[in-house]
């Protein structure tokens, strides 16, 4: 203790010039002062701020949410899930969110952790705003969102967004043929920039062509407005062939390892021979044997018909992004968290989108008719279209496939609602 006292006061050189009695007095005085300072410092340290101590009496989860359970409509607007869906989701992820109580503090229960996370995704508010509402610490909200979004993805992806098999792809094609009159269509594909706050020390990696910072969400959507494949996390600056080529989906599409069905005849056009199953995309994507894009520029005649029919099927993904942004308003602005947590939030909202689509009754589920892409000044300011994501150098086979589909839509596959040739 004496050595600690000498170091603290830096007066050891004077200590040796005192008498033994004075030395004892100085040591006692110093020890009493140190003890007083330690007690004072310990008394000021708190586990929980006084405002946060009233969480169970005044926090939003313990007051407002309980009242909202008495009103189904308001509960759904608040969480984007109705009571049954909230409880179902909680039953799936609750055991993964449970934490052990200690002698020092009680953990936040799984239901409240889920509520905090859903509220952040549904509003896009800052961690601080959510923390004030629920009377928890800002770091607690950050930890909860980081944990719950990953648990939601892990718990739901196997059931609501599994890796498609050959039979799954064939089922998707049947849906596009039945609902949108586009045969051999495996899904509508598009990419969006998810706008984020500029990450620290990231340089221009996340800087995109719109002058904002972003990560890229690449998605494949089926005829029922559900995500079948999502790839999240590409740098915002990535363009040309990078987004598609660097994604797992793009690499498997290029390698032929997606498990796509074998070529099949188009309905009523056996003379055209078997044609490949293909995804539909806009002009930002390359033309490939299994990836159809429109003819560039202003077209007429048969090419105009093809572009119209392809656009009719392709806009399913645009409408799906519209539903996503209307449900989860974090996409309406700049997401001010780290890129890794942004990736987790985006994946969580995509799998929650599928969860809602498949558990909501058809009377209340949002199913828009195909329409044009959102305007530049729309509410979905946090989702921006990608530029070219692939080379326009097309193989002869890819050109032949597009020409065959064009001929089919003009003749055997013509419908009453398409433009005249």
């Amino acid at each position: 203790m004496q050595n600690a006292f000498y170091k603290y006061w830096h007066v050891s050189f004077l200590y040796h010039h005192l008498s033994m009695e004075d030395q004892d007095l100085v040591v006692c005085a110093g020890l009493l002062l140190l003890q007083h300072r330690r007690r004072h410092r310990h008394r000021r340290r708190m586990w929980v701020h006084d405002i946060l101590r009233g969480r169970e009496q005044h926090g939003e989860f313990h007051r407002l949410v309980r009242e909202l359970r008495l009103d189904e409509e308001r509960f759904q607007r608040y969480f984007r899930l109705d009571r049954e869906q909230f409880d179902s989701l909680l039953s799936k992820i609750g055991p993964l969110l449970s934490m052990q109580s200690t002698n020092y503090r009680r953990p936040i229960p799984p239901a409240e952790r889920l509520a905090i996370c859903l509220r952040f995704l549904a509003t896009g508010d800052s961690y601080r705003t959510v923390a004030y509402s629920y009377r928890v610490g800002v770091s607690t909200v950050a930890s909860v969102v980081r944990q719950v979004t990953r648990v939601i993805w892990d718990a739901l992806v196997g059931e609501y967004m599994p890796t498609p098999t050959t039979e799954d792809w064939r089922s998707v094609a049947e849906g596009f043929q039945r609902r949108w009159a586009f045969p051999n269509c495996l899904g509508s594909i598009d990419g969006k920039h998810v706008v984020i706050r500029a990450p620290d020390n990231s340089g221009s990696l996340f800087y995109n062509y719109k002058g904002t910072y972003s990560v890229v969400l690449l998605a494949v959507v089926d005829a029922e407005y559900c995500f079948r494949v999502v790839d999240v996390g590409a740098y915002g600056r990535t363009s040309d062939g990078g987004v598609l080529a660097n994604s797992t989906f793009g690499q498997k599409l290029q390698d032929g390892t997606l498990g796509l069905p074998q070529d099949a005849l188009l309905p009523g056009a056996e003379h055209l021979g078997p044609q490949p199953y293909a995804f539909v995309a806009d002009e930002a994507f390359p033309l490939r044997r299994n990836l159809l894009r429109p003819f560039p520029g202003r077209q007429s005649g048969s090419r105009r018909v093809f572009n119209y029919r392809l656009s009719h099927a392709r806009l399913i993904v645009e409408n799906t992004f519209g539903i996503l942004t209307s449900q989860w308003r974090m996409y309406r602005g700049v997401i001010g968290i780290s890129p890794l947590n942004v990736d987790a939030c985006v994946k969580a909202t995509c799998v929650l989108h599928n969860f809602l689509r498949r558990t909501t009754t058809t009377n209340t589920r949002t199913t828009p008719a195909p329409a044009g892409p959102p305007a530049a000044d729309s509410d979905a300011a946090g989702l921006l279209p990608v530029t070219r994501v692939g080379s326009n150098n097309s193989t002869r086979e890819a050109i032949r496939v597009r020409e065959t589909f064009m001929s089919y839509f003009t003749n055997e596959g013509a419908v009453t609602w398409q433009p005249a040739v």
Side-chain angles (χ1 to χ4, degrees), residues 9 136 147 231 263 330 380:
W9 289 99
V136 295
Q147 178 200 28
D231 192 289
D263 296 358
M330 74 169 194

Side-chain angles (χ1 to χ4, degrees), residues 82 85 356-368:
D82 60 34
Q85 291 168 334
L356 293 176
R357 297 292 299 176
R358 295 173 184 173
T359 59
T360 302
T361 59
T362 55
N363 292 332
T364 58
R365 186 172 62 188
T366 303
T367 305

Side-chain angles (χ1 to χ4, degrees), residues 116-161:
I116 291 172
C117 180
L118 290 178
R119 192 58 182 162
F120 170 76
L121 299 176
T123 63
D125 289 339
S126 66
Y127 285 164
R128 189 172 300 278
T129 300
V130 177
Y132 285 148
S133 298
Y134 282 80
R135 297 216 175 191
V136 295
V138 177
S139 61
T140 301
V141 174
S143 176
V144 166
V145 171
R146 181 170 58 251
Q147 178 200 28
V148 176
T149 50
R150 287 163 171 80
V151 169
I152 288 175
W153 171 261
D154 293 338
L156 298 185
V157 66
E159 181 177 358
Y160 295 97
M161 202 189 300

Side-chain angles (χ1 to χ4, degrees), residues 187-253:
S188 178
I189 181 173
D190 199 7
K192 293 292 183 182
H193 287 279
V194 180
V195 181
I196 64 174
R197 182 185 61 197
D200 296 335
N201 304 317
S202 63
S204 61
L205 284 176
F206 296 90
Y207 190 77
N208 62 50
Y209 73 105
K210 284 286 190 176
T212 60
Y213 294 83
S214 64
V215 295
V216 179
L217 164 62
L218 187 68
V220 178
V221 175
D222 64 18
E224 306 293 334
Y225 301 94
C226 287
F227 293 104
R228 288 298 180 135
V229 177
V230 294
D231 192 289
V232 189
Y235 294 132
R237 66 172 295 181
T238 308
S239 59
D240 295 328
V243 174
L244 184 64
N246 294 337
S247 68
T248 302
F249 169 81
Q251 293 171 0
K252 289 186 175 182
L253 180 63

